[in-house]
Amino acid sequence: MKSVKGLEESKGPKDLKTSKDLKDLKDLIGELAGIQGPSGSEEQVRAAILEKLEGLADEVKVDALGNVIAVRHGKGPKVMLSAHMDEIGVIVTHIDEKGFLRFAPVGGLNPHRLPGARVAFLNGAIGVIGVEKLEEIKELKFARLYIDIGVTDKAGAEAKVKIGDTAVMWRPMEDLGQRVVAKALDDRIGCAILLEVLRLLKKPMNETYFVFTVEEELGRRGASTSAFGIDPGYGIAVDATITGDTPEAPKVALALGKGPAIKVKDSSLISHPGVRKLLIAAAEEAGVPYQLEVLDFGGNDAGAIHLTRAGVPSGTVSIPIRYVHTPSEMADLDDVAGAIKLLVALLEKPLAI
Ligand SMILES: [Zn+2]
């Protein structure tokens, strides 16, 4: 591990109470969300996070699969916090004679949400997703969609894009005031939260690992290997979840602006009751309103962490996001600020269940 000499005094907001603090937080989220990092190609995100970690951790390393692991030393047990760097995207499977690309999803994409979306390849090539005759299609599948990168033939396309290249949805973040809209808030918002917790955590009472993982969207792969290497006593994922607060939304008791969600269960995890209690106690101590999350689908890094070796008591702090896994994910800054406060309060005590 590379040692970082001395922790520098943090430069950004000291707390999250003023409009400037919120602006700085929005800027951080917008910067991270604006980077291209489809699963398996997280290089640009990793570079940005390594730069932002300068002076914030006692040790920083990148493991064999590309997970970034930053450590703050403390006397208490090993705690692994995890946020994933990767985002959903597309991968090119075929290029036709006219230069149109066919593609497959990378991660959980819904084809119905894609026509008209723009995608950006890692080399900067931009395309728009088109659809065959929509009115004739009963069930929209990826095979009926294509990407148009503005060329007229196959040679022109191959000069820009190769089979196997991946791309992400392409939209800048929009600042709506209290709320922001961007691609990849899942889970750059978690990455931003981990960075802010690192910055605001004055005296860690635990041996705290801040892990920025790869390939969560393909099945929590980076979390599996990094947790095995770290062998933590506790695991806490920080990730996006859905909401039930839009017209005709599924009956889910989660809404924007009502605070971070403490997970009870999803398809990959039943949160350890002791960890859940610690998270609830930390929220109450920090004066942060919270919601309880129960999903009968989905999963995140905690699903992998808790099954590591002989088992790791684990939980999740989730950020409610509307339109998750679309190019326009929406989050409320109060939920983000609440998650940061909750986690700082949690980590300033030695964890014990
Ligand atoms: Zn996620």
Side-chain angles (χ1 to χ4, degrees):
M1 284 201 174
K2 180 184 136 201
S3 278
V4 179
K5 279 180 202 143
L7 294 171
E8 286 171 15
E9 193 53 35
S10 54
K11 296 179 189 115
K14 293 284 178 275
D15 53 39
L16 297 161
K17 291 187 183 127
T18 69
S19 56
K20 180 182 179 302
D21 296 334
L22 284 175
K23 164 113 182 22
D24 289 347
L25 183 57
K26 279 182 197 168
D27 288 347
L28 176 62
I29 293 167
E31 184 186 342
L32 291 174
I35 302 170
Q36 293 152 274
S39 307
S41 301
E42 297 90 353
E43 300 85 348
Q44 295 174 28
V45 188
R46 181 162 47 246
I49 285 174
L50 286 170
E51 199 184 305
K52 293 192 180 301
L53 283 170
E54 281 289 322
L56 289 183
D58 295 313
E59 297 175 49
V60 177
K61 79 162 186 173
V62 177
D63 74 7
L65 287 197
N67 300 297
V68 176
I69 302 172
V71 189
R72 288 285 299 276
H73 294 313
K75 289 201 171 79
K78 274 191 200 172
V79 182
M80 173 175 170
L81 266 64
S82 161
H84 65 90
M85 295 187 287
D86 63 311
E87 70 192 283
I88 51 167
V90 296
I91 185 165
V92 176
T93 55
H94 181 265
I95 302 173
D96 75 14
E97 291 308 314
K98 289 187 174 167
F100 293 106
L101 319 177
R102 297 291 173 154
F103 63 94
V106 175
L109 276 177
N110 183 332
H112 292 94
R113 298 186 190 266
L114 293 182
R118 294 177 197 179
V119 297
F121 290 86
L122 300 183
N123 65 2
I126 299 284
V128 58
I129 296 181
V131 59
E132 298 172 4
K133 290 180 187 167
L134 198 51
E135 60 277 10
E136 290 176 11
I137 298 171
K138 287 203 180 94
E139 191 189 352
L140 186 54
K141 299 222 159 118
F142 287 102
R144 312 304 295 269
L145 302 174
Y146 57 85
I147 299 171
D148 182 343
I149 54 171
V151 297
T152 52
D153 59 18
K154 190 171 188 178
E158 286 175 339
K160 288 186 166 190
V161 171
K162 305 276 183 281
I163 299 292
D165 281 0
T166 51
V168 296
M169 299 304 134
W170 195 239
R171 293 280 176 92
M173 187 178 85
E174 299 292 346
D175 182 348
L176 305 184
Q178 180 62 29
R179 294 174 176 176
V180 293
V181 175
K183 75 168 187 72
L185 289 183
D186 175 12
D187 185 28
R188 303 293 158 64
I189 215 161
C191 296
I193 289 168
L194 258 56
L195 287 167
E196 283 297 280
V197 171
L198 254 168
R199 201 176 55 71
L200 294 167
L201 187 61
K202 299 296 177 218
K203 278 196 186 140
M205 297 301 287
N206 306 277
E207 182 77 352
T208 311
Y209 289 73
F210 297 79
V211 185
F212 302 86
T213 58
V214 299
E215 296 183 34
E216 188 272 348
E217 301 288 2
L218 298 181
R220 310 177 274 278
R221 296 171 186 174
S224 296
T225 57
S226 55
F228 187 92
I230 291 166
D231 193 12
Y234 299 96
I236 295 165
V238 182
D239 205 342
T241 187
I242 63 163
T243 70
D245 62 350
T246 52
E248 309 278 336
K251 298 262 179 253
V252 173
L254 293 166
L256 288 196
K258 295 199 171 164
I262 295 169
K263 192 185 287 288
V264 179
K265 87 167 271 293
D266 60 29
S267 290
S268 73
L269 169 83
I270 291 193
S271 299
H272 189 286
V275 173
R276 198 168 83 217
K277 273 186 202 148
L278 285 176
L279 291 169
I280 289 171
E284 285 170 352
E285 189 192 315
V288 172
Y290 64 90
Q291 314 177 63
L292 290 173
E293 177 193 7
V294 179
L295 297 185
D296 59 3
F297 60 92
N300 63 37
D301 279 350
I305 298 168
H306 85 294
L307 296 178
T308 300
R309 296 184 186 240
V312 181
S314 298
T316 296
V317 174
S318 298
I319 305 302
I321 303 235
R322 285 183 187 164
Y323 324 118
V324 74
H325 281 203
T326 77
S328 300
E329 299 178 331
M330 183 186 290
D332 189 295
L333 270 291
D334 275 354
D335 301 335
V336 182
I340 294 166
K341 276 195 201 164
L342 185 167
L343 288 165
V344 170
L346 178 83
L347 296 167
E348 280 180 341
K349 287 188 174 158
L351 290 202
I353 57 174

